[in-house]
Amino acid sequence: MSDSGPPLPMRVTVLAEDRLTGQGVEAHIAADHRVHVLPVGAEESPDVLLVITAELEEKTFTALRRYYPDDPAAAPRLVLVAGKPTAQQLVRVVKLGLVAFMSRERTTLADITEMLCAVARGAASLPQSLLGSLLEQIRTRQGDGRSVGTEDESSSFTARELAILRQLAAGLSTTEIAAALHYSERTVKYVIHEVIARHGLRNRVHAVAYALRQGLL
């Protein structure tokens, strides 16, 4: 007989640009049994940091930094609900652990709850238009010698890893990558997980950015 009980609710902290928005979102997501809301400033670390803002300003990044320690494994996943960020801002939030972006003007409270639960299951969601902006920004920085991170340049990837990362960069899903490369979905997920863990990366987008920075894609 198994001693395992139901999964623990994910711990979510909401950072909103105004108190009214923050309280409204907290009340809505807390009604879902899969979510446990942690107040801003709580000693316990959240699993997911939900940021809601019209525009990404420097004060937003200042507020975010206290949640991101030096160890990437200890950092919460970042879900951003905002207006479209600039390419430079996108690079910064990816380095902080962005796993999902939602357009503020088109997002409902129900959408936020669904996305949080998807992220808790390991999903990530970055619109193709933003992924294109991110890749272009990384290529530009790579071309003029600027760095997008502090990773070890000597790190390498296997041919299989690079093949999968190229498909990720093209915006393909796990299912589509498996079909294109004739791997099982389980193999694709395992390879991506290994790349992220071995190089100390935060998510799939960061893995693509890292490989591009080294001129491998």
Side-chain angles (χ1 to χ4, degrees):
M1 185 174 180
S2 175
D3 292 330
S4 62
L8 295 174
M10 63 181 150
R11 298 164 298 181
V12 179
T13 293
V14 179
L15 295 182
E17 61 187 350
D18 64 88
R19 186 174 178 82
L20 184 62
T21 298
Q23 288 182 336
V25 172
E26 286 179 350
H28 181 83
I29 64 176
D32 192 298
H33 70 278
R34 295 168 294 183
V35 177
H36 172 61
V37 174
L38 290 177
V40 175
E43 291 187 9
E44 189 177 2
S45 298
D47 301 309
V48 178
L49 192 60
L50 173 62
V51 178
I52 305 171
T53 183
E55 295 183 14
L56 279 171
E57 300 177 339
E58 197 57 40
K59 64 181 181 181
T60 309
F61 288 101
T62 299
L64 284 171
R65 288 189 193 104
R66 70 176 298 271
Y67 290 94
Y68 291 92
D70 294 333
D71 179 8
R77 286 158 285 180
L78 175 59
V79 175
L80 177 62
V81 182
K84 186 176 180 179
T86 66
Q88 293 87 346
Q89 290 170 337
L90 190 57
V91 169
R92 292 179 72 182
V93 290
V94 165
K95 288 171 65 178
L96 286 173
L98 181 71
V99 294
F101 173 85
M102 308 176 75
S103 170
R104 178 161 180 168
E105 64 180 20
R106 294 193 297 270
T107 298
T108 67
L109 289 171
D111 292 335
I112 290 175
T113 301
E114 283 188 28
M115 181 59 74
L116 289 173
C117 293
V119 166
R121 296 192 299 269
S125 177
L126 187 64
Q128 188 62 32
S129 59
L130 287 189
L131 181 58
S133 296
L134 174 65
L135 300 185
E136 181 59 34
Q137 177 68 10
I138 292 167
R139 290 190 180 102
T140 299
R141 290 184 171 215
Q142 180 181 314
D144 63 19
R146 286 181 290 157
S147 172
V148 297
T150 58
E151 295 86 353
D152 180 3
E153 298 289 350
S154 65
S155 298
S156 61
F157 297 91
T158 67
R160 181 170 69 170
E161 289 169 347
L162 286 174
I164 290 175
L165 287 173
R166 289 190 184 99
Q167 300 298 317
L168 281 178
L172 273 65
S173 67
T174 301
T175 301
E176 291 168 333
I177 294 172
L181 300 179
H182 306 291
Y183 295 142
S184 68
E185 286 189 50
R186 182 175 181 179
T187 295
V188 172
K189 291 178 181 177
Y190 174 78
V191 170
I192 294 171
H193 171 77
E194 284 295 299
V195 167
I196 291 171
R198 188 172 72 249
H199 295 283
L201 306 172
R202 298 195 184 283
N203 51 54
R204 297 180 178 197
V205 176
H206 197 190
V208 170
Y210 177 55
L212 273 166
R213 178 176 177 269
Q214 297 189 61
L216 298 175
L217 300 184

